[in-house]
Amino acid sequence: MSFVTVENLFQSYGRRPIIERVNVTVAEGEFISIVGASGCGKSTFLRLLLAQETPTRGEIRINGAAPAREPGLDRGIVFQRYSVFPHLTVRENILAGESFRRGWGRFWGAERRDALARADETLARIGLDHVADQYPATLSGGMQQRLAIGQALVARPKVLLLDEPFGALDPGTRVQMHDFLTELRTQTQMTVFMVTHDLGEAFKLGDRVLVFDKVRWDPQDPNLHGATITYDFDACTGGIPFQTLKEDIHVYHTA
Amino acid sequence: MRIINIRLGRPAVVTLALLPFIAALIVYAVASDIRLTANPADRLLPAPGTVLTTAGQLLSEPDRRSGDILFWQDTWASLQRLLLGVGISATIGLIFGLLIGLIPVARALLAQFVAVVSMIPPLALLPILFIVFGLGELSKVVLIVIGTLPFLIRDLSQRVLEVPQELVVKAQTLGASTWVIAIRVVLPQMMPRLIQAVRLSLGPAWLFLIAAEAIAADAGLGYRIFLVRRYLAMDVILTYVIWITLLAFVMDWGLRTLSRKAFPWAEAGL
Ligand SMILES: Nc1ncnc2c1ncn2[C@@H]1O[C@H](COP(=O)(O)OP(=O)(O)OP(=O)(O)O)[C@@H](O)[C@H]1O
Ligand SMILES: [Mg+2]
């Protein structure tokens, strides 16, 4: 059963095509890694998934619903930078994940006390309870990204989009963040799209790895054609890249 | 060693900072002395001692007719006009800056209009203001508002546009409405910039205040300066000028301190 359906997706800026003919279906709970050369349109693809932009052609449906026209609660995002609110403390940032959907963006009274208790639980789970009252600027890069992921998860999105979330972290912190993300995923079972430049990371975390690349290349004008999905690796079995055979090959049948 | 790499200790910094002030005082004292030896009745550059004596009298002796100390009356009248004008200007500037920066429809409607209006020299409007609002308090406050508002709107809307788009998108994915984004994401991030912009507006605000008071008023620091100008009372004028400078400096310093205390998150940056 396909949960996210991308159909014949095109996006151009002005007359310059960035991505073209992207077709992909993703099941609920799958972890999709996206890799590709710099500037080939991975972030653009995420922005389209997020409905921050409307595609030139084609459409994206989540759970069969009509294509979204603006970002909303069902899709969460973590950017490489600027993902948490600098003017809110760590605890308030987590609280915002629940309270921003309210009329005044806040909780009051008993509701606020309950929400604060939940926020403290979340902070303990993501290991940030000791810095709850600090401002994000005082946290390390890894802690800020953990906060951003925690904040996005508190809103309970159906699909989580991650744009190079660990790009700026050192290798040690990165491995910690992988464990953190894997753990959260077993708890929440949400569908994830993650853009990364680290192939190891892509195959380690992903159930599938999508490769974006240009199939047509004009040497006179490299910008003439857009990129599309050129490979769709199955990465379920221990992160060893291999391609699923899509056709029935008779030789293997031992009927 | 290159001069750009020379760093100073605290005492040296303080000494250097005081140096221009002392130099200015000495230059004045010497110039005043030269003129007074040539002509003891000279009124243009009164001796520093004379200025001090006059200042003491101004600050403490009540007016013979009304019994009030005119100096404090003038200060109060001027501060009232200034604070009212700047306060109104900051409030309107905040609202319109937010609208223009955050909402594309409002930007399309208003941005060019504000850009054109900000080119009108406010002092050229002063006669119109006096005719429309009369010679009372209102026209002076309105002049300060008109003089500082366009800059505040343009500066603040620019700051709103500089709020990272990522934060606005992020808030939307948390279910925030336009209203919630405005009051919970953009407005708090504008506040340090508002204080910054108000600090920059205080200079023009004083200018417009004194200009308006010089032309039509019955009290106020600017009014008094232009009144005693007729008697060439330089000692009074100097006292008032120093007092205005001090007031402006204290306001600027107060706002800077407030900004640092109230928005600790803005200090470290992201
Ligand atoms: N709003 C826009 N207007 C015009 N061109 C754009 C816009 N956004 C992105 N582009 C262009 O689209 C191309 C793809 O950008 P995108 O950010 O999607 O690449 P990317 O694959 O994420 O690259 P990276 O790995 O460096 O993050 C780039 O060449 C960029 O210049
Ligand atoms: Mg990118």
Side-chain angles (χ1 to χ4, degrees):
Chain A
M1 170 62 210
S2 84
F3 185 63
V4 180
T5 319
V6 178
E7 243 179 57
N8 200 32
L9 196 69
F10 283 71
Q11 179 69 323
S12 333
Y13 293 122
R15 289 187 53 251
R16 185 176 154 209
I18 303 295
I19 53 181
E20 51 184 43
R21 278 179 296 104
V22 171
N23 286 287
V24 66
T25 59
V26 172
E28 185 156 17
E30 257 188 318
F31 192 123
I32 309 294
S33 298
I34 298 171
V35 297
S38 213
C40 72
K42 306 179 296 295
S43 298
T44 305
F45 182 59
L46 280 201
R47 281 200 297 277
L48 292 171
L49 282 171
L50 188 63
Q52 189 184 342
E53 292 174 5
T54 7
T56 325
R57 255 203 278 166
E59 59 182 34
I60 298 172
R61 285 171 189 277
I62 292 177
N63 212 2
R69 294 171 58 208
E70 58 181 7
L73 262 176
D74 52 348
R75 285 143 296 141
I77 181 121
V78 174
F79 298 104
Q80 191 174 352
R81 298 174 62 214
Y82 300 125
S83 266
V84 291
F85 301 107
H87 59 289
L88 301 179
T89 63
V90 169
R91 185 184 284 115
E92 289 168 341
N93 259 291
I94 294 290
L95 209 57
E98 284 189 70
S99 69
F100 268 23
R101 67 193 73 170
R102 308 296 291 262
W104 287 85
R106 308 180 168 277
F107 290 125
W108 316 93
E111 219 182 358
R112 179 175 163 81
R113 273 195 300 281
D114 294 348
L116 275 173
R118 279 199 301 280
D120 282 337
E121 270 169 43
T122 309
L123 283 175
R125 207 175 70 211
I126 62 178
L128 292 179
D129 39 353
H130 60 295
V131 290
D133 294 312
Q134 295 183 16
Y135 288 102
T138 63
L139 305 187
S140 70
M143 288 158 109
Q144 288 194 18
Q145 285 311 73
R146 242 185 300 166
L147 177 60
I149 294 172
Q151 183 190 50
L153 290 180
V154 165
R156 308 207 169 282
K158 293 185 203 145
V159 179
L160 181 63
L161 307 170
L162 307 170
D163 196 350
E164 301 182 38
F166 314 133
L169 306 183
D170 67 90
T173 315
R174 234 171 222 252
V175 172
Q176 279 176 16
M177 294 299 289
H178 293 166
D179 296 343
F180 169 65
L181 193 58
T182 315
E183 189 188 318
L184 283 180
R185 216 168 82 73
T186 47
Q187 287 166 10
T188 56
Q189 282 307 319
M190 68 178 68
T191 313
V192 184
F193 289 82
M194 180 183 74
V195 170
T196 177
H197 281 291
D198 182 340
L199 277 180
E201 182 175 272
F203 279 101
K204 177 177 166 191
L205 296 175
D207 299 321
R208 282 158 72 185
V209 177
L210 305 183
V211 181
F212 274 75
D213 202 357
K214 297 186 179 184
V215 269
R216 292 177 293 165
W217 178 263
D218 190 324
Q220 259 73 49
D221 185 2
N223 284 335
L224 193 62
H225 303 295
T228 188
I229 297 177
T230 49
Y231 291 97
D232 183 349
F233 291 111
D234 187 332
C236 278
T237 39
I240 302 152
F242 70 93
Q243 222 172 343
T244 19
L245 297 174
K246 295 261 169 66
E247 285 120 42
D248 263 344
I249 298 171
H250 298 291
V251 213
Y252 290 120
H253 284 282
T254 52
Chain B
M1 194 155 130
R2 290 180 190 82
I3 197 159
I4 56 167
N5 290 326
I6 298 176
R7 300 277 186 275
L8 299 169
R10 182 90 189 140
V13 168
V14 173
T15 314
L16 281 184
L18 285 176
L19 222 54
F21 291 100
I22 297 169
L25 257 179
I26 292 176
V27 168
Y28 180 85
V30 169
S32 157
D33 197 51
I34 293 173
R35 283 190 73 105
L36 286 172
T37 26
N39 170 18
D42 182 71
R43 311 201 57 174
L44 207 58
L45 297 180
T50 318
V51 177
L52 268 181
T53 325
T54 311
Q57 286 166 0
L58 283 174
L59 264 68
S60 57
E61 284 176 15
D63 182 46
R64 253 169 286 138
R65 244 179 310 152
S66 62
D68 296 322
I69 301 180
L70 291 179
F71 183 82
W72 299 116
Q73 217 177 24
D74 289 336
T75 304
W76 176 236
S78 285
L79 278 185
Q80 229 174 348
R81 292 167 189 147
L82 187 83
L83 296 183
L84 203 60
V86 172
I88 293 173
S89 195
T91 312
I92 303 178
L94 195 65
I95 294 170
F96 277 88
L98 183 63
L99 285 175
I100 291 174
L102 187 62
I103 301 173
V105 178
R107 182 153 62 244
L109 182 70
L110 294 172
Q112 292 312 312
F113 182 69
V114 173
V116 170
V117 167
S118 69
M119 294 302 150
I120 302 175
L123 283 179
L125 294 179
L126 195 51
I128 304 178
L129 296 183
F130 279 140
I131 293 164
V132 175
F133 298 109
L135 297 177
E137 296 302 297
L138 190 58
S139 54
K140 299 178 190 66
V141 173
V142 171
L143 178 70
I144 295 175
V145 172
I146 290 181
T148 53
L149 186 57
F151 163 75
L152 281 173
I153 293 182
R154 293 180 79 182
D155 189 67
L156 288 171
S157 59
Q158 196 53 43
R159 300 298 163 242
V160 175
L161 286 170
E162 283 167 14
V163 169
Q165 199 52 37
E166 283 90 338
L167 292 182
V168 177
V169 171
K170 178 83 188 204
Q172 293 181 60
T173 65
L174 301 180
S177 61
T178 301
W179 168 245
V180 170
I181 292 173
I183 61 164
R184 294 282 277 140
V185 180
V186 179
L187 201 59
Q189 302 210 33
M190 283 170 82
M191 293 317 279
R193 314 312 295 248
L194 174 71
I195 292 186
Q196 197 77 19
V198 166
R199 282 176 64 193
L200 290 175
S201 297
L202 276 179
W206 275 106
L207 166 75
F208 297 128
L209 174 72
I210 289 171
E213 286 180 344
I215 294 173
D218 43 25
L221 298 168
Y223 161 75
R224 195 68 56 196
I225 288 179
F226 278 80
L227 185 75
V228 301
R229 180 190 57 132
R230 293 179 209 155
Y231 320 117
L232 220 66
M234 286 302 283
D235 44 352
V236 178
I237 294 181
L238 280 176
T239 307
Y240 271 77
V241 169
I242 293 171
W243 177 234
I244 291 173
T245 311
L246 199 68
L247 283 176
F249 182 78
V250 167
M251 281 182 198
D252 187 67
W253 175 83
L255 285 172
R256 203 177 57 210
T257 313
L258 174 70
S259 163
R260 225 177 310 165
K261 287 265 154 58
F263 312 109
W265 53 270
E267 272 302 292
L270 197 71

